[in-house]
Amino acid sequence: MNIVRRRGWEVTDRRVTPEHIALNRRALIGGAAALSILPALAARADIPVNPAFTPGRAVTGEKDATTYNNYYEFSESKNLWRDAQVLKQRPWTIELGGMVKQPRTIGIDDLLKQVSLEERIYRHRCVEAWAMTVPWTGFPLSQLLKIAEPLGSAKFVVFETTQDKVMPGLSAPFYPWPYVEGVTIEEAANDLAFISTGMYGKPLPPQNGGPLRLTLPWKYGFKSAKAIVKITFADKRPATFWEAIGPSEYGFWANVNPAVPHPRWSQATERLLGSNERVPTQIFNGYADQVAALYSNQKNEKLFM
Ligand code: MTE
């Protein structure tokens, strides 16, 4: 990944914003409900903010979060948001396959009718050491597990993302397309694991992974695959996109840990999008209470890279 290394990063105590300010900003409207092309969901204007997920930080400005992106299918530059607008968001289908009771393909709007949408404000920490705090609309990944009905022998959930002819980055020969990511079934069932379909009370814009992306706030951002078209259940750990490119830098687990530096830079602090303030990074990105137990039995694994 392209990294901008800055000197003189500052750590200050001004990072904490009172929770009510962040929460009161959020209207009780979800992304899907704001989508006029989704009549079935238009009545669901009461998508609630889940108060269990408090970020302890100011919400990042919408413009900052939607105009500074990583999306290598479009570009290696962060300034790709205009180019990404050409990615059509409908029709959109998701293939559910591999070790499931019955493989099938589901249309996104059919899927959205079967889940309970909510809004969660989550931190996002990129492996490149920038961070943002975003109100996502979506549903817990555990709800999708119920719909997909994996077999008891399945151990991993594998996410594959779209390869569309409008994406110029796909012709770069160096990259092992498609973008693939994966988690264990236990990680997928954890309450924090989320599928986002909106942000800032609006449909998820293409540059942020619309129409649906993974959101795993305790892991480095590259695990949060955008524009998912295929979800497969497997008993073997998948070869993931960034691990295939640089196994010594971007591992399968990628849990955030300030004490484990990336081979080429420190992970001790992060730069907040918008203010550029430098703040300390927390283990599991501040979500240790919810997820640390997932890893208590993992021996000889590089959990934090
Ligand atoms: N998903 C796809 N399909 N392609 C990508 O290049 N980049 C990842 C992740 N998901 C990426 C992706 C990385 S490195 C990060 S940090 C986040 O998306 C960035 O999400 P954002 O642009 O919404 O901030």
Side-chain angles (χ1 to χ4, degrees), residues 145-274:
L145 295 189
K146 287 197 187 100
I147 292 166
E149 298 188 284
L151 303 179
S153 45
K155 292 188 174 63
F156 295 93
V157 192
V158 187
F159 300 86
E160 202 174 301
T161 79
T162 195
Q163 298 183 81
D164 193 295
K165 58 181 183 317
V166 301
M167 297 170 143
L170 293 179
S171 53
F174 173 68
Y175 293 108
W177 307 113
Y179 199 99
V180 170
E181 260 309 337
V183 292
T184 64
I185 288 270
E186 291 75 23
E187 289 178 320
N190 184 274
D191 195 30
L192 278 186
F194 202 62
I195 298 280
S196 295
T197 56
M199 68 195 291
Y200 297 92
K202 298 172 189 163
L204 194 59
Q207 67 271 28
N208 291 92
L212 89 166
R213 73 176 285 172
L214 200 50
T215 304
L216 302 168
W218 73 100
K219 290 181 181 282
Y220 290 118
F222 66 88
K223 296 293 292 184
S224 293
K226 296 176 169 181
I228 295 164
V229 289
K230 188 170 171 185
I231 302 175
T232 312
F233 294 83
D235 56 3
K236 293 198 178 50
R237 188 188 293 188
T240 53
F241 182 80
W242 282 108
E243 193 183 20
I245 295 166
S248 62
E249 304 201 349
Y250 312 108
F252 173 79
W253 298 97
N255 294 307
V256 174
N257 188 338
V260 179
H262 182 279
R264 290 185 281 137
W265 59 88
S266 165
Q267 295 291 29
T269 63
E270 62 210 50
R271 176 178 63 91
L272 301 183
L273 287 193

Side-chain angles (χ1 to χ4, degrees), residues 17 21 46 106 132 148 156 172 190 210 225 240 270:
T17 295
I21 295 180
D46 58 343
I106 186 166
M132 60 182 182
F156 295 93
N190 184 274
T240 53
E270 62 210 50

Side-chain angles (χ1 to χ4, degrees), residues 2-198:
N2 295 331
I3 301 303
V4 179
R5 298 179 80 179
R6 287 159 194 259
R7 289 172 183 275
W9 282 337
E10 246 186 344
V11 178
T12 80
D13 285 325
R14 288 181 292 122
R15 68 186 186 279
V16 178
T17 295
E19 223 49 66
H20 67 277
I21 295 180
L23 290 172
N24 287 347
R25 283 185 65 239
R26 305 304 314 136
L28 297 179
I29 298 172
L35 243 188
S36 57
I37 58 169
L38 285 183
L41 289 170
R44 299 172 64 175
D46 58 343
I47 295 171
V49 178
N50 189 327
F53 303 99
T54 52
R57 276 187 192 170
V59 168
T60 302
E62 180 178 351
K63 194 162 174 227
D64 293 313
T66 57
T67 58
Y68 184 90
N69 299 102
N70 270 335
Y71 207 159
Y72 282 69
E73 288 90 330
F74 282 100
S75 174
E76 292 176 345
S77 147
K78 302 272 188 280
N79 185 16
L80 55 85
W81 67 273
R82 281 187 201 86
D83 300 338
Q85 303 311 310
V86 294
L87 183 65
K88 281 208 180 104
Q89 307 287 288
R90 296 290 189 283
W92 195 274
T93 56
I94 302 119
E95 201 180 319
L96 303 173
M99 302 172 75
V100 291
K101 253 190 196 164
Q102 182 66 53
R104 69 198 154 113
T105 297
I106 186 166
I108 186 168
D109 298 322
D110 285 344
L111 173 65
L112 291 178
K113 281 180 212 156
Q114 296 175 46
V115 296
S116 317
L117 293 173
E118 61 181 60
E119 183 179 275
R120 295 182 178 188
I121 303 173
Y122 274 164
R123 297 176 182 201
H124 172 101
R125 168 58 156 87
C126 179
V127 72
E128 297 165 336
W130 54 266
M132 60 182 182
T133 303
V134 169
W136 302 102
T137 309
F139 57 93
L141 179 53
S142 60
Q143 292 186 12
L144 196 129
L145 295 189
K146 287 197 187 100
I147 292 166
E149 298 188 284
L151 303 179
S153 45
K155 292 188 174 63
F156 295 93
V157 192
V158 187
F159 300 86
E160 202 174 301
T161 79
T162 195
Q163 298 183 81
D164 193 295
K165 58 181 183 317
V166 301
M167 297 170 143
L170 293 179
S171 53
F174 173 68
Y175 293 108
W177 307 113
Y179 199 99
V180 170
E181 260 309 337
V183 292
T184 64
I185 288 270
E186 291 75 23
E187 289 178 320
N190 184 274
D191 195 30
L192 278 186
F194 202 62
I195 298 280
S196 295
T197 56

